[in-house]
Amino acid sequence: MSESEPTTPPAPADFIRDIVAEDLQSGKHPLSVTRFPPEPNGYLHIGHAKSICLNFGIARETHGRCNLRMDDTNPTKEEVEYVESIQADVDWLIGGWADDRLGRKVPGDVSGSAVLPSEASGRTLEPFFASDYFEQMLALAVELIRRGKAYVCDLNPEEMSEYRGVPERPGKPSPWRERSVEENLDLFERMRKGEFPDGTRTLRSRIDMASPNIHLRDPALYRIRHATHHRTGDRWCLYPMYDYAHPISDYLEGITHSICTLEFEIHRPFYDWVLQSLNLPRTLPRQIEFARLSLGYTVMSKRKLLLLVEEGLVSGWDDPRMPTLSGLRRRGVRPEALRAFAAAIGVTKYNGLTEVSVFESCIRDDLNLVALRRLAVLRPIKVVLTNIAEGETHWFDAVNNPSNPELGTRKIAFTRELWIDSDDFMEVPPPKYFRLRPGGEVRLKYACIIRCDEVVKDAAGEVVELRCTADLETRSGGANAAKKVKGTIHWVSAAHAIRAEVRLYDRLFTEEAPEADGRDFKSVLNPESAHTITALLEPTLAEARQTDRFQFERVGYFTLDVPYSPTGVAPTSVPLIFNRTLGLKDSWAKEMAKK
RNA sequence: UGGCCGAUGGUGUAAUGGUAGCACAGGGGCCUUUGACGCCCUUAGUCAUGGUUCGAAUCCAUGUUGGCCAACCA
């Protein structure tokens, strides 16, 4: 028997997964059905990734289903651009992991029936839309009116707010609260037909104007909005509120566990009220709340991200500095890293601040295993090897990934003139500096040891060239290959190097909590968050593919820049621009910073 | 003179009345043709006070403290 099974990470455990497991075990539900219900009013971000990993993770672990649903009940805020980007981002995040548990539907079907990919049999599927249920929601609202649980209210928004009262004082009943069922039915029908202008009437639940929970003081069910909806066009002028639409949508889709963030905790009694008031035949879904993610050195609210985009503070939703999924993808973060991060931070009801270092550690762990090692010089200084003849070329083998030999090797050219990084030479170095110095020796990675004989400066005193000698006997397989020097640096052959634009990204904000104590988050934008340089790269990088991940040795992780494409079709060729995903850990720089 | 929900090392979490553990971060070391990776060691915690119990991070009470709630947003 084999003791060394491939290690699969243990399934995460948390209070929500416990509830689901219990409900499955008790037989309350034969199958778990969760859902991810974003409003299509912006791009998905890493906070959504936490929710996606939770909901699809549960579906995956319990062999259940997770529906993707656009929560599109407010026509004034929603756009198809967002619908499309959301689908693309979800596909990207769960692809190869939980995509077999993705519940979608046949276009045109408004029943709420889900189809898994394995059941599609050639049909194209689309996500669910809350707007598909408008007809059923309306019928149920009529039922609520018939039961005396809803009424048409003529109060305007200001009056309604006044009647609602404040948390510490009860509200007072609307003067329209006691209308007859017949009158309510008539008025509601006329609201639907468009007889009244926006803001003149609402359909309200009839619960308790004195409830200590303000969300139970007859909250609105429907409002009049003469607006064009991205999906239903001008068919409706009456739109359901989230609090009403959500429980119904969940019920129609057979959702068993409706997982949302903490701020909806106080809405839960109303969620239950809607469903219980309707005497529905099937087992009702249960709403469970967890703490949303807040991550250091970034902002998470769609409103703020939208502001950054609109004011041109970033290049777009997919700017590699953005915490959006499209931004992270363009930055070079892989879905694997996002999923590992979600597992690492867990799920609780505690509102904390997660340090970015946790996320960065997940990104590095993931990339370290897959990234192809390459040599790249970001800020070049010329090195001339005086004992190598012009035109003389040596080819050395370089491994693509030391932790995964299957990724093979490549040849790199070694010639008289090379580039090294300016960080790797100091004329007057501090103690413990292991790199090149006048008269000093250093190993060139994959090649041999060189000694710096002479420093050539220009008129301004800037170092322009290092004249060195190479000791070819110290190359791999050479007579003196075992010779040790303290430092090993990266380099490229000047005759072979290619030039490319390299974009160095850093955190978007200078403060860990940009929105702390009411300050304007835009005032703490990091002016150093993006730098563009021209780097000299080993020529194999010319063939970089979009899916490749690279580690420029001793520098960091990089990937080809591929902007988000609204068509969903990846461009076949992209210009040679590399984005820095993340730098390597640098304990030398840290040591220097301490001083 | 409101309601709801929280509180475990610096941070995020685990322990479901029975040894306070893990990860990240920090510190020290080993290894190294990446000052990376890896490996070893290490610092550091149950909000407070009472109570129940043989035994409490866990149950109860009180207090402290933080978050959320007064859109015809989601």
Side-chain angles (χ1 to χ4, degrees):
Chain A
M1 66 170 87
S2 161
E3 296 283 338
S4 56
E5 295 285 308
T7 52
T8 47
D14 53 64
F15 77 100
I16 296 180
R17 280 181 241 248
D18 289 346
I19 292 170
V20 174
E22 207 178 299
D23 288 347
L24 256 18
Q25 221 230 339
S26 72
K28 179 180 177 187
H29 302 289
L31 187 78
S32 76
V33 185
T34 54
R35 103 262 95 111
F36 175 63
E39 181 186 15
N41 66 344
Y43 280 63
L44 260 27
H45 54 65
I46 188 170
H48 295 106
K50 179 181 181 183
S51 175
I52 292 168
C53 291
L54 210 212
N55 281 292
F56 282 94
I58 288 170
R60 180 176 175 273
E61 292 148 23
T62 64
H63 306 289
R65 183 175 81 235
C66 178
N67 288 357
L68 173 61
R69 178 167 77 225
M70 302 297 159
D71 208 349
D72 56 348
T73 57
N74 184 352
T76 63
K77 287 190 173 177
E78 296 146 9
E79 296 174 24
V80 290
E81 176 196 351
Y82 298 134
V83 171
E84 283 161 6
S85 75
I86 289 168
Q87 292 185 74
D89 287 346
V90 169
D91 287 344
W92 174 74
L93 222 205
I94 69 170
W97 179 68
D99 47 356
D100 60 328
R101 315 274 55 160
L102 171 61
R104 283 173 301 178
K105 68 176 186 85
V106 175
D109 181 4
V110 297
S111 69
S113 321
V115 179
L116 289 175
S118 61
E119 305 160 340
S121 50
R123 292 170 296 184
T124 54
L125 301 176
E126 66 179 14
F128 292 95
F129 292 85
S131 55
D132 282 345
Y133 311 134
F134 282 173
E135 212 63 70
Q136 294 174 79
M137 288 172 186
L138 191 86
L140 291 169
V142 167
E143 181 59 25
L144 248 18
I145 294 172
R146 289 215 172 91
R147 291 173 185 235
K149 289 175 182 293
Y151 63 97
V152 172
C153 180
D154 299 1
L155 256 26
N156 66 35
E158 298 73 44
E159 292 165 332
M160 201 185 281
S161 167
E162 186 199 323
Y163 275 76
R164 182 165 35 235
V166 291
E168 17 328 269
R169 290 254 166 255
K172 57 182 178 181
S174 160
W176 313 102
R177 202 170 196 262
E178 302 305 328
R179 283 219 252 235
S180 70
V181 169
E182 291 66 34
E183 190 183 3
N184 281 322
L185 253 16
D186 173 61
L187 251 15
F188 189 51
E189 171 60 13
R190 290 166 58 196
M191 283 165 69
R192 189 194 63 76
K193 283 185 178 153
E195 288 188 22
F196 311 116
D198 290 5
T200 53
R201 279 182 235 261
T202 55
L203 183 73
R204 286 232 255 170
S205 55
R206 219 165 81 115
I207 310 180
D208 176 9
M209 288 307 293
S211 170
N213 182 346
I214 237 162
H215 294 279
L216 255 21
R217 319 241 263 226
D218 293 8
L221 263 21
Y222 274 91
R223 79 290 216 181
I224 300 170
R225 277 260 213 289
H226 291 268
T228 304
H229 184 278
H230 70 98
R231 241 178 158 244
T232 60
D234 294 319
R235 197 144 65 238
W236 296 87
C237 62
L238 192 60
Y239 290 93
M241 302 289 294
Y242 163 87
D243 277 316
Y244 175 68
H246 210 85
I248 308 261
S249 304
D250 282 347
Y251 180 80
L252 292 174
E253 291 174 20
I255 303 300
T256 58
H257 301 272
S258 181
I259 302 166
C260 60
T261 46
L262 245 30
E263 64 271 25
F264 292 102
E265 216 157 15
I266 196 166
H267 297 236
R268 189 183 346 129
F270 184 71
Y271 180 97
D272 292 335
W273 180 91
V274 170
L275 264 13
Q276 284 162 8
S277 299
L278 258 7
N279 276 116
L280 298 162
R282 303 199 310 257
T283 310
L284 301 181
R286 200 234 269 213
Q287 175 180 309
I288 308 168
E289 310 84 13
F290 72 100
R292 63 166 36 175
L293 170 69
S294 53
L295 186 62
Y297 295 99
T298 192
V299 293
M300 215 66 93
S301 88
K302 279 193 207 167
R303 206 198 94 243
K304 294 196 172 81
L305 297 176
L306 179 61
L307 215 59
L308 292 173
V309 173
E310 282 177 340
E311 297 193 9
L313 271 5
V314 294
S315 63
W317 285 101
D318 69 336
D319 186 298
R321 295 166 293 177
M322 291 280 272
T324 51
L325 297 188
S326 52
L328 293 167
R329 177 171 56 228
R330 189 172 176 187
R331 176 95 171 232
V333 174
R334 303 198 318 151
E336 286 85 347
L338 253 354
R339 286 183 229 132
F341 177 62
I345 59 178
V347 178
T348 65
K349 301 184 75 162
Y350 176 72
N351 261 312
L353 176 70
T354 298
E355 292 181 350
V356 258
S357 63
V358 179
F359 185 40
E360 293 177 343
S361 156
C362 291
I363 296 171
R364 290 192 181 103
D365 276 356
D366 172 56
L367 259 16
N368 181 43
L369 265 20
V370 297
L372 301 171
R373 310 295 129 120
R374 293 291 183 265
L375 298 183
V377 172
L378 266 38
R379 294 179 179 85
I381 324 185
K382 174 72 67 75
V383 165
V384 177
L385 300 171
T386 52
N387 64 331
I388 303 285
E390 281 186 46
E392 180 180 345
T393 305
H394 299 267
W395 292 93
F396 295 121
D397 286 314
V399 295
N400 288 327
N401 186 311
S403 58
N404 186 357
E406 285 178 16
L407 292 173
T409 63
R410 72 210 184 266
K411 298 276 186 196
I412 45 182
F414 178 81
T415 55
R416 177 180 168 87
E417 297 201 356
L418 314 172
W419 298 106
I420 67 166
D421 241 310
S422 62
D423 281 353
D424 291 332
F425 173 79
M426 282 185 90
E427 220 179 345
V428 188
K432 299 277 217 31
Y433 186 81
F434 298 155
R435 284 107 98 150
L436 199 57
R437 65 178 80 196
E441 287 185 320
V442 78
R443 179 175 282 280
L444 298 180
K445 179 82 179 177
Y446 304 124
C448 62
I449 293 172
I450 62 169
R451 189 183 62 240
C452 177
D453 305 312
E454 188 187 346
V455 179
V456 182
K457 296 182 186 175
D458 62 13
E462 291 296 309
V463 176
V464 291
E465 184 179 304
L466 304 174
R467 297 183 75 79
C468 303
T469 46
D471 179 1
L472 284 168
E473 293 306 310
T474 60
R475 80 226 232 191
S476 180
N480 210 1
K483 179 173 176 181
K484 301 286 182 205
V485 285
K486 278 295 224 179
T488 300
I489 64 172
H490 55 100
W491 54 280
V492 289
S493 163
H496 297 80
I498 56 166
R499 281 170 197 277
E501 185 175 324
V502 170
R503 297 179 180 165
L504 304 175
Y505 295 108
D506 205 341
R507 39 188 67 147
L508 235 195
F509 295 93
T510 56
E511 295 289 329
E512 187 177 31
E515 0 185 22
D517 39 68
R519 116 187 97 209
D520 177 13
F521 71 104
K522 286 183 289 177
S523 69
V524 290
L525 274 168
N526 178 9
E528 306 292 319
S529 61
H531 284 293
T532 297
I533 60 171
T534 299
L536 292 155
L537 317 174
E538 69 166 88
T540 52
L541 251 6
E543 281 108 56
R545 292 165 305 162
Q546 298 174 15
T547 51
D548 286 336
R549 294 294 182 279
F550 301 101
Q551 184 198 100
F552 293 177
E553 292 210 54
R554 304 207 312 125
V555 178
Y557 293 103
F558 292 79
T559 193
L560 219 44
D561 178 65
V562 185
Y564 171 72
S565 161
T567 62
V569 180
T572 48
S573 74
V574 293
L576 204 59
I577 298 171
F578 290 92
N579 291 334
R580 180 171 70 190
T581 311
L582 207 57
L584 252 29
K585 268 206 260 179
D586 188 347
S587 56
W588 170 246
K590 196 203 285 180
E591 185 71 25
M592 288 299 94
K594 275 195 228 165
K595 273 219 48 310

